[in-house]
Amino acid sequence: MSTREHVPVAIIGAGQAGLSVSWYLSRAGIDHVVLDAKTPVHAWSDSRWDNFTLVTPNWHCRLPGYTYEGPDPDGFMTRDQVVEWLDGWLKTFEAPVRTHTRVTRLRNDPDGGFELTLSSGAGEQLLTCEHAVIATGGYPLPITPAFAGSLDPSIAQIHSEQYRNADQLPDGAVLVVGTGQSGAQIAEDLHLEGRQVHLAVGNAPRVARFYRGRDCMTWLSDMGLYDKAAQEYPGGKAAIEKTNHYVTGRDGGRDIDLRQFAAEGMRVYGTLIDGKDTTLTFAPTLTKHLDHADSVYNSICADIDAYIERAGVDAPPAQRYTPVWAPDTDPTGLDLAAEGVTSIVWAIGYRPDYRWIEASAFDGGGRPMQTRGVTGVDGLSFIGLPWMHTWGSGRFLGVDRDAQHVAATIISSYHESVLRLAVGH
Ligand SMILES: Cc1cc2nc3c(=O)[nH]c(=O)nc-3n(C[C@H](O)[C@H](O)[C@H](O)COP(=O)(O)OP(=O)(O)OC[C@H]3O[C@@H](n4cnc5c(N)ncnc54)[C@H](O)[C@@H]3O)c2cc1C
């Protein structure tokens, strides 16, 4: 390995989060590099399905020096529109990005700061830095259950991040596992394409798209919920650990109502707990999960009603969701062969993967211990984690605010160290 290169700050990951920190450091004249295993903001083009739209309204799209200024602030950009919008942002500044460079190891440097091992087409190189910002995304390792390997090999299996469209899957029925935002929208996509969908419904909550004349996310913003730090959020830690509410921005935005899909022929089940060959077993949780999602939906409507009353806003009348379908019993089994299911889309989420970082900055579950991105390890910070500071931290809405904070911490400590050098301590 060649001699070690040095740069004061290394940002690992050139998604919107890492680049937001870079934007502020560039403005402050701080020398830094942004390292990415692939290319800037590639997740939006590489890991979203063809009919993807944002779930958050376009007005949430704000990055340093750049906000959505298109014709439809209350609409939902498609995947390709998001990619175009981000390309517009990248043109507004010159980030010092090194593409196709994966960081395979970060450890304390005996001389102070960190030593990074970089892997690229040029082989392995070492780089040292005083500050390292981890911006590798909140969705690093797709989860599939251990029993996926025991299923009949003739059944095609993909993770939601690999899903593009119905044509990519073999002919036949499809099982979608999970009803977080991705699972629910992928099930809808396949259902609209005319596929027979079987859906394992998890305990994710749901939210109305529009209520009393406005997008629910716009009401929640007016109610100040997106400015609340995680520890002050109603429901506390439990609320932030929950799967995101399912809803869609497709075709201008609408609810996702799994009961309606079931009434139209989608086959729905509770949590998938085991599988071997072509036989799957589900927990008897379907009724409970559908009821739970609807009760969260209605409780958010009730919170908005209370706000409207308090604030004296003139709005159309209140409503509640009434179920359009209910299961007779909770199904607990499915024979994939008998039902003609030829593929499975796993949409049960992601887990963190920081095994390459050798630093005492993680809890027992491998999650970073941080306050607004700053860890107890001198010089090590994170950006872009879901709920890192507020609801929007892992999204477009909150990343600018978080990046300002992380960059300000680096800038002030950088100036302190320069000052110390200047005065000779
Ligand atoms: C399906 C889906 C839908 C979403 N919908 C919305 C939405 O509607 N609205 C919204 O606001 N947000 C949404 N998000 C959340 C969020 O905006 C995106 O996940 C966004 O891509 C996060 O940006 P990021 O910069 O934090 O991470 P990423 O975009 O994931 O970027 C991380 C970068 O780090 C690089 N990297 C990783 N490991 C290494 C390494 N070891 N060395 C070097 N480089 C590395 C990767 O190549 C990547 O470029 C959605 C997320 C998903 C998954």
Side-chain angles (χ1 to χ4, degrees), residues 30 200 224 343:
I30 307 272
S343 55

Side-chain angles (χ1 to χ4, degrees), residues 333-348:
L334 167 64
D335 185 327
L336 297 170
E339 295 293 341
V341 177
T342 56
S343 55
I344 299 178
V345 181
W346 297 106
I348 51 175

Side-chain angles (χ1 to χ4, degrees), residues 11-19 35-44 47-49 52-57 60-61 101-105 135-140 160-161 181-182 185 350 353 356 383-385 391-399:
I11 299 172
I12 300 130
Q16 69 217 28
L19 291 170
L35 306 161
D36 199 286
K38 292 185 181 166
T39 52
V41 301
H42 71 89
W44 288 100
S47 307
R48 309 286 183 260
W49 55 95
F52 173 91
T53 64
L54 290 177
V55 160
T56 50
H60 277 202
C61 292
T101 306
R102 177 173 289 281
V103 180
T104 55
R105 184 182 194 192
T136 50
Y139 308 90
S160 60
E161 75 165 18
Q181 286 181 347
S182 295
Q185 290 175 84
Y350 299 79
D353 182 16
W356 52 281
I383 186 75
L385 301 173
W391 177 89
S393 284
R395 300 172 181 236
F396 283 124
L397 185 66
V399 71

Side-chain angles (χ1 to χ4, degrees), residues 93-108:
F93 64 113
E94 288 206 9
V97 181
R98 225 175 273 178
T99 59
H100 304 289
T101 306
R102 177 173 289 281
V103 180
T104 55
R105 184 182 194 192
L106 180 154
R107 62 175 185 150
N108 283 315

Side-chain angles (χ1 to χ4, degrees), residues 18-338:
L19 291 170
S20 293
V21 176
S22 170
W23 192 91
Y24 284 104
L25 295 183
S26 294
R27 290 219 138 186
I30 307 272
D31 187 16
H32 67 284
V33 65
V34 189
L35 306 161
D36 199 286
K38 292 185 181 166
T39 52
V41 301
H42 71 89
W44 288 100
S45 47
D46 291 355
S47 307
R48 309 286 183 260
W49 55 95
D50 293 350
N51 287 324
F52 173 91
T53 64
L54 290 177
V55 160
T56 50
N58 293 335
W59 69 263
H60 277 202
C61 292
R62 357 167 132 159
L63 291 170
Y66 190 75
T67 49
Y68 173 87
E69 280 175 5
D72 194 9
D74 295 318
F76 309 91
M77 284 191 271
T78 62
R79 176 192 63 188
D80 296 347
Q81 288 169 332
V82 175
V83 170
E84 197 184 325
W85 179 74
L86 283 167
D87 278 348
W89 182 50
L90 296 182
K91 288 193 183 106
T92 65
F93 64 113
E94 288 206 9
V97 181
R98 225 175 273 178
T99 59
H100 304 289
T101 306
R102 177 173 289 281
V103 180
T104 55
R105 184 182 194 192
L106 180 154
R107 62 175 185 150
N108 283 315
D109 182 15
D111 298 333
F114 304 102
E115 181 190 78
L116 311 187
T117 307
L118 315 185
S119 168
S120 68
E124 282 207 336
Q125 289 153 305
L126 296 178
L127 181 142
T128 58
C129 57
E130 281 97 52
H131 294 271
V133 183
I134 313 300
T136 50
Y139 308 90
L141 269 194
I143 301 174
T144 47
F147 63 77
S150 313
L151 297 175
D152 187 321
S154 70
I155 293 159
Q157 300 185 38
I158 59 168
H159 191 271
S160 60
E161 75 165 18
Q162 297 162 300
Y163 176 75
R164 293 293 167 273
N165 54 52
D167 291 344
Q168 155 201 25
L169 302 174
D171 287 345
V174 186
L175 169 70
V176 178
V177 185
T179 47
Q181 286 181 347
S182 295
Q185 290 175 84
I186 290 171
E188 178 187 52
D189 193 44
L190 290 161
H191 182 64
L192 294 177
E193 291 296 323
R195 285 297 185 102
Q196 174 63 59
V197 176
H198 296 254
L199 177 64
V201 178
N203 66 355
R206 74 185 186 108
V207 63
R209 177 77 275 170
F210 303 106
Y211 184 60
R212 302 193 69 178
R214 299 172 81 200
D215 191 296
C216 277
M217 292 185 187
T218 304
W219 283 121
L220 297 178
S221 170
D222 284 2
M223 289 157 67
L225 283 184
Y226 298 149
D227 296 322
K228 282 204 189 309
Q231 59 275 18
E232 294 161 17
Y233 203 78
K237 198 161 183 288
I240 69 175
E241 299 277 335
K242 283 188 184 139
T243 314
N244 283 317
H245 304 70
Y246 59 85
V247 63
T248 182
R250 193 156 169 175
D251 302 327
R254 57 177 170 245
D255 291 0
I256 290 189
D257 182 354
L258 303 182
R259 295 182 194 269
Q260 181 61 38
F261 291 159
E264 291 164 6
M266 192 183 286
R267 302 274 298 277
V268 286
Y269 308 79
T271 303
L272 177 59
I273 49 174
D274 201 6
K276 186 157 174 41
D277 301 327
T278 61
T279 307
L280 300 185
T281 310
F282 300 87
T285 50
L286 176 61
T287 304
K288 187 170 89 177
H289 288 166
L290 291 174
D291 288 349
H292 169 70
D294 291 342
S295 82
V296 173
Y297 178 108
N298 281 334
S299 79
I300 295 171
C301 293
D303 290 345
I304 294 172
D305 292 340
Y307 168 76
I308 287 174
E309 180 131 350
R310 262 195 327 273
V313 183
D314 186 21
Q319 283 173 348
R320 290 293 177 269
Y321 174 77
T322 342
V324 294
W325 177 91
D328 297 330
T329 53
D330 284 342
T332 53
L334 167 64
D335 185 327
L336 297 170

